[in-house]
Amino acid sequence: MSALFKRLGVVDARPVSGGCIHRCYRATLAGRAVFLKVNEARLADAFAAEADGLAALRAAGCTAPEPISQGAAGSESYLLMEFLELKSRGDYAALGRMLDTLHRSHASEFGWGRDNYIGSTPQQNRRYANWAQFWRECRLEPQLALARKNGYVLDANDVSQLLEGHRPEPSLQHGDLWGGNAAYLANGAPVLFDPAVYYGDREADLAMTELFGGFPPEFYSAYGPLPAGYETRKHLYNLYHLLNHLNLFGGSYSGSVRSVLQKYG
C-alpha cells in the first residue's frame, strides 16, 4: 500500500469508512485533504465509471466530490478525489431542489456514453429512443439473467410492458440514490456521491429514494409533484434495485422481488 501512496504523492493516509466494497483513506496531497478509494486492479473500470459519474453530477450543477485521478498501479486500482467533511443530516429541502436541478439536464436519448456499475454489478447503458425498451433490455433483463445464473427461479413475465405509452424526457439520473449516497456539509448543504449515472425517467431516481426508508417530507415537497401513474411505475423501477440486491446479497430479497413480479407480471 505504501508504494501506491508514494506513487500518488499522498501522505498521512488514515483508514476511514466509505462503503462496503473498497478500502478508503483520508490523506493529504500537496497540502490538500483528499479521499482515496483502493481495490484490486480488476476494478479499475469501476473507478473510471465513478469518476465519470461524479464529473457529470458536478457539470449538471450538483455538489459532489471533485474526482482528481484514477487508474491502476500494480495489483491495485484507485480513485483519488476531493475530501469533504460530511454529516448524515442537513437541509433535505435543498437536496430535493438539487435533484430537481439534476433532472433538468436532458438528452435526446436514454442511456449514457459508457457502461458503468450499480454497486459492483455491471450496468449497461446503450442508447435508446424508447424508454420501455431501454428499461427492459438494459435494466431488467440483465438482472433477471444474473438471478437465473445465481440459481433463483423467478416467474418473470415482461413487466416492462407497463411502461408502454409512458414517454418521459431523458433526464440525467444519479442512478443509485438512497440515503447512504447523500450527505451534508457543515452548513447543511447537500452532497451527492457514488453515482451510477445515465439519462432516464426522473421517476426512477425518486422511486429509489423511497426504497430503503425514504427521505423526510420536505425533500419531496421541495422536489415537486410527479406525473400520474408514478405510484405504479415506482415499483417497476425499484424492481431493478431489488433484483440487484438479490444478486449481490442473496435470498433475503427474493420475497420482495417475487412480490413485485406477482403484482405486475
Side-chain angles (χ1 to χ4, degrees):
M1 185 62 67
S2 60
L4 177 60
F5 294 160
K6 185 175 181 179
R7 172 173 175 158
L8 296 177
V10 301
V11 297
D12 301 327
R14 303 190 303 276
V16 293
S17 61
C20 59
I21 300 174
H22 310 296
R23 303 187 303 278
C24 300
Y25 303 85
R26 177 178 180 171
T28 302
L29 176 65
R32 178 188 186 187
V34 292
F35 188 75
L36 175 64
K37 292 185 174 183
V38 181
N39 214 310
E40 300 172 18
R42 65 182 178 84
L43 294 178
D45 187 63
F47 285 141
E50 184 175 349
D52 174 67
L54 290 171
L57 294 179
R58 290 169 60 87
C62 297
T63 301
E66 176 191 2
I68 299 170
S69 67
Q70 52 79 28
S75 63
E76 296 173 316
S77 61
Y78 68 90
L79 171 60
L80 189 64
M81 69 184 85
E82 171 188 16
F83 180 86
L84 298 174
E85 196 73 57
L86 300 175
K87 59 181 184 176
S88 60
R89 296 181 178 276
D91 190 339
Y92 292 101
L95 179 61
R97 292 190 293 271
M98 181 184 289
L99 188 62
D100 178 65
T101 296
L102 177 67
H103 290 166
R104 291 179 186 275
S105 180
H106 297 134
S108 59
E109 293 180 301
F110 302 102
W112 189 244
R114 58 157 294 152
D115 292 344
N116 48 29
Y117 299 82
I118 183 73
S120 60
T121 307
Q123 178 170 266
Q124 298 178 17
N125 287 313
R126 299 188 301 275
R127 300 283 194 177
Y128 286 81
N130 182 280
W131 170 241
Q133 184 182 8
F134 172 85
W135 194 256
R136 180 175 62 252
E137 297 182 8
C138 289
R139 293 296 180 265
L140 294 184
E141 287 182 353
Q143 289 286 352
L144 287 166
L146 184 56
R148 287 191 292 270
K149 182 179 179 181
N150 289 335
Y152 298 106
V153 179
L154 300 173
D155 183 13
N157 296 319
D158 183 14
V159 292
S160 65
Q161 63 185 318
L162 293 171
L163 296 178
E164 295 297 342
H166 181 51
R167 299 286 184 266
E169 193 166 12
S171 297
L172 185 58
Q173 308 285 291
H174 176 281
D176 194 11
L177 190 55
W178 65 291
N181 288 342
Y184 304 87
L185 300 174
N187 64 0
V191 178
L192 296 175
F193 45 88
D194 289 347
V197 298
Y198 66 98
Y199 285 102
D201 182 1
R202 65 192 180 109
E203 295 179 15
D205 256 355
L206 268 294
M208 193 184 185
T209 68
E210 297 188 48
L211 185 56
F212 299 116
F215 293 107
E218 54 265 35
F219 165 82
Y220 300 99
S221 295
Y223 182 88
L226 288 167
Y230 166 72
E231 291 298 322
T232 295
R233 290 187 293 269
K234 70 179 183 182
H235 299 291
L236 179 60
Y237 294 149
N238 282 338
L239 175 62
Y240 171 63
H241 298 291
L242 291 170
L243 282 165
N244 188 49
H245 277 67
L246 175 67
N247 287 318
L248 288 174
F249 305 118
S252 62
Y253 289 93
S254 62
S256 297
V257 167
R258 290 190 172 90
S259 177
V260 177
L261 290 173
Q262 290 169 2
K263 184 174 183 180
Y264 295 104

